[in-house]
Every structure is written in structure tokens, then in C-alpha cells.
Amino acid sequence: MNRYRYDRELIDMAASLSEADRFKFMDIVQNETQNPVVNFGWNVWLGFLGIDRFLVGDILAGILKLLTMGGLGLWVIIDCFLIGNRTREVNMMKIRDIYEFVRAHPA
């Protein structure tokens, strides 16, 4: 998921809520989501251990990356381009659940 689509969907969700619910929603989102730039940093620093993939919940990919030492470095390079989008995809799944929770339990 690209950054602009991610931002647009998040803004649309927040705008559809009342002000009190919007603050509640954004507070939960900030606490429950991961920063794609931080995951990129994990990939650059310890990517050969699969840390970035474990953080986004891709356990099997993390184990494979660990066992192959990052695909002998190739997988680390590829993940430099992919890990940001994967982090946003995982975040958006969480955000949609948070949005439904806040709508079901208004302030």
C-alpha cells in the first residue's frame, strides 16, 4: 500500500468520526501502529536476521530470512523497497479494526 493511499484512508476515517471519537481513534492508532521508517532501519541494520519481518508479523518470512542470512544479502536489498509497504498494509488492517471498535463504542 503506498503512502498516499494509506494517508488518505486514515484521514477519511478520522474525518468521519465525532471530535471526541477522533481523539480516541488517533490516540489508539498512534499506540498500536508501527513506523515504516523504523522497520526500514531494522532491515538495514539487522535485516539478515529477519527482524523487520518478525516485527510486521511475517514469522515464516522472518525465519527463512534468518536461516538464509537474508538470502545472502539479496533479500535484505529487496526488503529495502518492500518493507515500508508491508508495514503500512499491516498498520491499515489494525487501523480498520480500531475504527470499527471506536464506531461501536462512541465516547
Side-chain angles (χ1 to χ4, degrees):
M1 168 175 281
N2 71 37
R3 191 182 84 204
Y4 301 109
R5 194 170 128 215
Y6 174 84
D7 289 343
R8 183 79 253 156
E9 189 169 346
L10 180 60
I11 290 168
D12 289 343
M13 284 182 198
S16 71
L17 298 170
S18 68
E19 187 173 350
D21 288 340
R22 187 176 314 129
F23 287 120
K24 179 180 171 183
F25 172 71
M26 292 307 293
D27 186 47
I28 297 171
V29 166
Q30 284 181 332
N31 291 324
E32 297 296 323
T33 57
Q34 299 175 9
N35 186 339
V37 176
V38 172
N39 280 353
F40 175 80
W42 280 111
N43 180 58
V44 170
W45 187 42
L46 294 173
F48 64 95
L49 296 176
I51 301 296
D52 54 330
R53 288 296 178 162
F54 286 117
L55 287 173
V56 295
D58 293 341
I59 304 302
L60 182 60
I63 291 170
L64 289 172
K65 199 170 175 184
L66 174 65
L67 293 176
T68 63
M69 297 299 285
L72 299 176
L74 183 62
W75 203 350
V76 174
I77 294 169
I78 292 170
D79 266 352
C80 284
F81 299 98
L82 300 180
I83 198 64
N85 287 337
R86 180 67 182 133
T87 303
R88 281 188 289 275
E89 287 172 5
V90 170
N91 283 347
M92 190 50 68
M93 288 188 291
K94 288 180 187 177
I95 289 169
R96 289 177 184 138
D97 290 341
I98 294 166
Y99 178 72
E100 292 303 322
F101 173 79
V102 170
R103 284 188 56 205
H105 302 91

